[in-house]
Amino acid sequence: AIDRQTIWNAVEKAEKNKKAQLAYNFDIALQNELTMEENIALARRFVQEHLVDKGMIADFAVHEPDKENSISNPHFHVLTTMRHLNPDGTWGNKQRREYVLDENGERKKDENGNYIFTAVHTTDWHEPKTLEHWREAWCRMVNAEFERKGIAARIDHRSYEAQGIEQIPTVHERSLVQKMEKRGIHTQKADLNRWIRTTNRLIVAVKKGIRTLLNWIAALKKEIEEAKHHEPYLIELIGRYYQDRNRGAWSQKAKNQ
């Protein structure tokens, strides 16, 4: 099973339905702050602890494409089996049947005479919460390695929305898209990413303008508040004099003089 061709031929042979899903596929980013040897060691540890130790057979390959816009994009691809391998070399089931029982504990049948059942997954590998757990685990491993090496950088597995970042995420451009763009051929994904980047710059500029305006308003309010406690102007002194004098006047004529 450690031979790549042997294992995936066996995986395909185990399926009876020609439309059956054969594997799970992951693409995981490596870090430019680490050497390639350190990245591979980290990837191998993650695959072992979080995939293989849970019963999967995992096949991963490291990819270090040419730099795009002078930024390297190292990553690794992982293919994992959807079935576990039994000790006798046979494949386990993806699902098992849970039959619906009647009040006597007997299996119920439908109108065609077939037993009614629910298909239940034998593992939690398909669950969104499991994927989220893997993402968080990879984040912890990378950040722990950064801390061990005294590197200030940190990654976050959460989405922009979950982090409270008002920014539109770009879509992944595969190598074929990047090659077409280099040849001057516009692609839908690259056009979308260009629009997203332009929009994100506009969002940043608008938020900066709003912050500037709010700071100006706050400073103006402070200036007005401080002005209430300044030394009185001449017009205020005159006004106060007439107010005091009028309070002691005996007639309207005296108030007006």
Side-chain angles (χ1 to χ4, degrees):
I2 62 174
D3 177 73
R4 179 171 286 150
Q5 180 174 328
T6 300
I7 185 62
W8 292 116
N9 283 339
V11 165
E12 187 171 12
K13 187 177 180 180
E15 301 295 342
K16 296 181 175 62
N17 191 328
K18 63 180 181 180
K19 294 183 179 180
Q21 187 179 355
L22 302 178
Y24 295 117
N25 178 31
F26 308 93
D27 294 340
I28 304 177
L30 297 173
Q31 312 305 311
N32 286 317
E33 292 83 356
L34 304 177
T35 66
M36 185 51 65
E37 290 74 17
E38 290 169 336
N39 272 318
I40 292 175
L42 200 62
R44 190 177 297 278
R45 182 158 64 89
F46 172 81
V47 169
Q48 180 66 49
E49 292 180 7
H50 296 282
L51 304 179
V52 177
D53 286 355
K54 305 302 181 184
M56 292 180 170
I57 297 175
D59 178 5
F60 81 95
V62 175
H63 185 202
E64 189 177 18
D66 295 333
K67 291 184 178 181
E68 181 69 18
N69 299 324
S70 300
I71 299 176
S72 182
N73 179 31
H75 55 275
F76 67 103
H77 306 274
V78 186
L79 278 176
T80 66
T81 54
M82 299 182 68
R83 298 175 182 269
H84 62 274
L85 196 63
N86 294 321
D88 62 358
T90 60
W91 291 104
N93 295 322
K94 295 179 184 177
Q95 299 176 335
R96 57 181 173 81
R97 294 183 177 183
E98 283 192 357
Y99 289 95
V100 178
L101 306 179
D102 60 20
E103 60 274 9
N104 299 319
E106 300 293 334
R107 290 188 292 182
K108 296 179 65 174
K109 294 183 179 181
D110 59 20
E111 57 186 13
N112 297 319
N114 298 318
Y115 288 114
I116 304 173
F117 66 89
T118 302
V120 179
H121 286 274
T122 57
T123 69
D124 64 352
W125 300 344
H126 67 291
E127 294 282 355
K129 63 181 181 181
T130 302
L131 177 60
E132 185 69 13
H133 168 73
W134 289 332
R135 289 167 58 87
E136 184 178 0
W138 174 251
C139 177
R140 288 199 307 268
M141 290 178 68
V142 170
N143 288 337
E145 185 68 12
F146 282 162
E147 185 174 359
R148 186 186 69 83
K149 292 179 64 64
I151 299 172
R154 295 294 184 270
I155 66 172
D156 197 317
H157 69 286
R158 298 173 298 168
S159 65
Y160 285 153
E161 182 179 2
Q163 295 180 59
I165 298 176
E166 295 180 358
Q167 184 171 323
I168 306 171
T170 55
V171 298
H172 180 60
E173 298 177 9
R174 295 191 176 274
S175 58
L176 178 60
V177 172
Q178 295 173 357
K179 289 177 182 178
M180 292 175 66
E181 288 286 328
K182 285 182 179 180
R183 291 163 56 189
I185 303 173
H186 279 214
T187 63
Q188 186 177 9
K189 280 191 174 182
D191 284 342
L192 175 59
N193 279 338
R194 279 187 281 269
W195 178 86
I196 289 173
R197 293 187 184 100
T198 300
T199 303
N200 283 335
R201 286 194 292 269
L202 179 61
I203 291 173
V204 171
V206 169
K207 290 177 68 176
K208 183 178 179 181
I210 292 173
R211 284 196 301 270
T212 301
L213 180 60
L214 291 175
N215 290 336
W216 178 80
I217 292 174
L220 182 60
K221 287 182 177 179
K222 182 179 180 181
E223 185 176 343
I224 293 173
E225 188 64 29
E226 290 176 349
K228 295 178 180 178
H229 308 289
H230 73 287
E231 291 297 325
Y233 294 115
L234 177 61
I235 187 64
E236 293 175 327
L237 293 174
I238 295 174
R240 292 177 187 176
Y241 164 75
Y242 276 106
Q243 288 176 358
D244 292 341
R245 194 198 69 167
N246 290 342
R247 275 195 291 268
W250 290 94
S251 66
Q252 186 65 35
K253 182 178 180 181
K255 292 181 179 180
N256 294 333
Q257 290 181 350

